Amino acid sequence: MKMTVDAGMMKEMFVNYDRDYYSFSGLETLLDYYDEIDPEMEFDPIAICCDCTEYGENAVCSFDCLISDYGYKYPVEEYKEDNDIEENEFDETEYIAALVERLEDETTVLHVPNGNYIIFAF
């Protein structure tokens, strides 16, 4: 027996498993990603939570968490130096985009339509 899962069902299942870590838009993005890989894939919310984290608005992890978790891959000071940025000119949004670009060289990063990022563990 097979069941087709949509984002609403995913949200409900994640809540039931006490794993409500993703925004609704993030769940839609994950669903599209996994459907592209294998439309017959078995749904496993625990494995998904172990595989990736959503950072941003309406997700459990904020953009500050993204910087805390992965900022070592592109330190702020290095970013400022690379882009000749003075302290008063620093834009965190632009830095986050540059950091994500660096992460894309090492792992899968999904761009969520709401402006969030889903980053796969590596």
Side-chain angles (χ1 to χ4, degrees):
M1 180 183 309
K2 226 183 216 183
M3 179 172 65
T4 302
V5 177
D6 64 17
M9 291 170 68
M10 282 179 71
K11 182 75 169 172
E12 186 177 314
M13 288 182 199
F14 275 102
V15 169
N16 290 340
Y17 279 90
D18 197 28
R19 299 282 192 261
D20 191 19
Y21 303 152
Y22 303 95
S23 67
F24 192 78
S25 188
L27 290 173
E28 290 175 321
T29 302
L30 281 170
L31 184 60
D32 290 344
Y33 172 76
Y34 285 116
D35 276 348
E36 194 173 296
I37 291 173
D38 180 4
E40 305 299 317
M41 185 179 288
E42 183 177 327
F43 177 67
D44 184 347
I46 305 300
I48 291 170
C49 290
C50 291
D51 285 346
C52 59
T53 303
E54 181 178 2
Y55 294 90
E57 300 297 319
N58 298 315
V60 170
C61 296
S62 66
F63 288 126
D64 287 340
C65 291
L66 173 66
I67 294 168
S68 177
D69 291 350
Y70 295 107
Y72 71 94
K73 292 289 188 178
Y74 195 18
V76 170
E77 292 308 315
E78 182 181 339
Y79 167 76
K80 288 180 189 175
E81 195 174 291
D82 288 350
N83 294 283
D84 198 27
I85 295 172
E86 298 295 324
E87 188 63 41
N88 62 341
E89 298 172 338
F90 178 73
D91 182 327
E92 186 174 79
T93 303
E94 290 177 7
Y95 168 67
I96 289 169
L99 175 59
V100 166
E101 193 173 310
R102 287 271 175 111
L103 293 173
E104 289 173 327
D105 292 338
E106 298 190 39
T107 190
T108 300
V109 177
L110 305 178
H111 294 249
V112 182
N114 65 4
N116 292 355
Y117 301 102
I118 295 175
I119 300 176
F120 282 72
F122 60 101

